[in-house]
Amino acid sequence: MRAILNIQKQLMPDLLDVMKKRYTILRHIAASRLIGRRTLAASLNMTERVLRAEADFLKEQGLVDIDPAGIRLTEAGQKVLDEMEPMAKELFGLSELEEKIRDTFHISQVIIVPGDSDTSPYTKKEMGRAGASALRRYVSQETVIAVTGGSTMAEVATHLSPTTALKGSWFVPARGGLGESVEFQANTIASTMAKKTGGQYRLLHVPDHLGEEAYQSLIQEPNIRELIEVIRSARIVLHGIGEANVMAKRRRADEATFSALAREGALAEAFGYYFDRDGVVVHKMPTVGLRLEDIQQTETVIAVAGGKSKGESIASVLRFGHEDVLVTDEAAAREMLNYT
């Protein structure tokens, strides 16, 4: 397939540009389910006149329906998208990019979606869909799955559906709550994933950041201790990656912590640990839930994170060396290669 596309690039470059444009339009419509023409044009950075012409063409082909409520994909349109998926990787140059990231950071599997989730909510939806697909690929019957919080993990949850393996699985929060928006807390995401898949869940009703005395007191409580043991037995960890300063702010860290993070060169945060450029843990929070040693023993660790702004942060966590699967977007992947 790559050889054929290379020939097409040389002989018919305009045709490939048209294919990429129409594939992108269909992808955005599929991610939105129903979207107005003006909103779609703005999200694609396309004039309404150009989009109207493309939408009319796609309607003529039976790939979309257009009515006063907006544009939606037809069954034929979804079939075309599914059939184009393998080709799209080559079309956007993503297969080669996946190979580079996989070889550079020594990861078993890399999945890259087109776009930049910093600027496109549809790219984040695509990452969520790809993250859900990756989870389905690795889950087995009666698996304990530990998940972190965040908007990207919430997007993964929306794209899950029942499978035999997922129905018998347990979803648990990887750590305590950050005190952020309820819909982005790990407890909420774990319960949403369970409800979407027909699985079961356990909740951890403790704050993420604790003083040492409070931490020691909590882990002595029998119910909390038993739940922590379940969390630490997780066979799959599904997590996001954040920028160090952004996550410290979300955790309402004090000035001393911010100064320490800057002094130690912290760039990224994942599951309560802060990493420097070389993937070395330079700071950690005394939180209830997964520990670094649990991550190192976990059978499958799946990271879902994207956006150009996070490229360096993602690279630093990957250098820690315990990710098995990375789901990211094109902008983050290209940015990551600048820090090799």
Side-chain angles (χ1 to χ4, degrees), residues 149-150 154 177-192:
L178 276 178
E180 57 189 341
S181 301
V182 173
E183 65 268 30
F184 295 150
Q185 289 184 11
N187 274 335
T188 303
I189 292 168
S191 64
T192 300

Side-chain angles (χ1 to χ4, degrees), residues 173 176-177 187 203-207 218 224 227:
N187 274 335
L203 302 181
L204 182 62
H205 294 294
V206 297
L218 264 176
I224 296 293
L227 179 52

Side-chain angles (χ1 to χ4, degrees), residues 20-297:
K20 286 173 67 174
K21 178 168 64 175
R22 289 173 179 166
Y23 175 84
T24 302
I25 292 170
L26 289 173
R27 265 285 166 228
H28 275 62
I29 296 170
S32 304
R33 294 186 175 88
L34 176 68
I35 186 170
R37 189 149 39 196
R38 182 174 298 177
T39 302
L40 180 57
S43 70
L44 292 166
N45 197 25
M46 190 180 292
T47 67
E48 287 189 56
R49 182 180 64 82
V50 171
L51 178 64
R52 186 181 301 110
E54 293 295 340
D56 288 344
F57 172 83
L58 295 172
K59 182 180 180 181
E60 288 173 9
Q61 301 304 309
L63 304 179
V64 302
D65 283 330
I66 303 175
D67 58 39
I71 308 173
R72 58 170 58 84
L73 213 59
T74 63
E75 285 188 23
Q78 185 61 59
K79 184 178 179 182
V80 166
L81 270 184
D82 293 341
E83 291 176 348
M84 279 192 70
E85 185 104 22
M87 184 191 300
K89 292 279 188 182
E90 299 291 347
L91 198 61
F92 287 89
L94 299 183
S95 294
E96 185 177 351
L97 188 56
E98 287 174 347
E99 289 176 12
K100 286 182 180 178
I101 297 294
R102 189 167 60 244
D103 294 343
T104 300
F105 295 97
H106 311 293
I107 309 171
S108 298
Q109 184 179 14
V110 177
I111 303 164
I112 299 174
V113 302
D116 182 354
S117 55
D118 280 347
T119 58
S120 170
Y122 304 101
T123 298
K124 181 171 283 191
K125 289 179 184 294
E126 282 296 286
M127 278 201 306
R129 185 182 66 84
S133 178
L135 177 60
R136 284 192 291 268
R137 189 175 302 118
Y138 286 91
V139 75
S140 59
Q141 195 70 29
E142 298 183 0
T143 298
V144 175
I145 303 164
V147 300
T148 64
S151 59
T152 304
M153 288 298 104
E155 201 61 63
V156 174
T158 66
H159 287 84
L160 286 174
S161 56
T163 67
T164 301
L166 285 170
K167 282 183 179 179
S169 294
W170 283 86
F171 291 88
V172 296
R175 310 191 71 81
L178 276 178
E180 57 189 341
S181 301
V182 173
E183 65 268 30
F184 295 150
Q185 289 184 11
N187 274 335
T188 303
I189 292 168
S191 64
T192 300
M193 287 182 170
K195 291 168 185 174
K196 284 274 189 178
T197 60
Q200 301 180 75
Y201 64 93
R202 298 280 300 274
L203 302 181
L204 182 62
H205 294 294
V206 297
D208 186 65
H209 186 35
L210 297 167
E212 184 62 29
E213 185 176 341
Y215 172 79
Q216 292 299 335
S217 176
L218 264 176
I219 61 174
Q220 299 306 316
E221 205 280 321
N223 290 334
I224 296 293
R225 188 189 308 168
E226 185 267 337
L227 179 52
I228 291 172
E229 288 177 3
V230 172
I231 292 171
R232 291 175 178 173
S233 73
R235 193 178 71 79
I236 295 176
V237 172
L238 184 66
H239 73 94
I241 295 172
E243 297 169 80
N245 284 338
V246 172
M247 295 305 297
K249 185 176 181 180
R250 282 171 59 185
R251 285 193 163 88
R252 298 173 184 167
D254 55 26
E255 286 301 320
T257 300
F258 275 103
S259 297
L261 291 174
R263 187 171 59 252
E264 294 158 351
L267 287 176
E269 187 274 350
F271 30 82
Y273 292 82
Y274 291 81
F275 302 80
D276 68 9
R277 188 183 307 275
D278 298 319
V280 176
V281 175
V282 295
H283 191 85
K284 64 178 181 178
M285 296 291 193
T287 58
V288 176
L290 281 179
R291 302 161 302 183
L292 206 58
E293 51 265 42
D294 303 315
I295 301 293
Q296 292 168 324
Q297 297 299 318

Side-chain angles (χ1 to χ4, degrees), residues 294-334:
D294 303 315
I295 301 293
Q296 292 168 324
Q297 297 299 318
T298 301
E299 188 174 318
T300 305
V301 181
I302 303 172
V304 187
K308 183 178 180 180
S309 63
K310 284 188 181 179
E312 188 177 15
S313 298
I314 297 169
S316 70
V317 173
L318 295 183
R319 288 195 185 95
F320 174 64
H322 288 278
E323 303 297 331
D324 298 294
V325 182
L326 171 68
V327 178
T328 190
D329 59 30
E330 182 180 2
R334 296 196 185 283

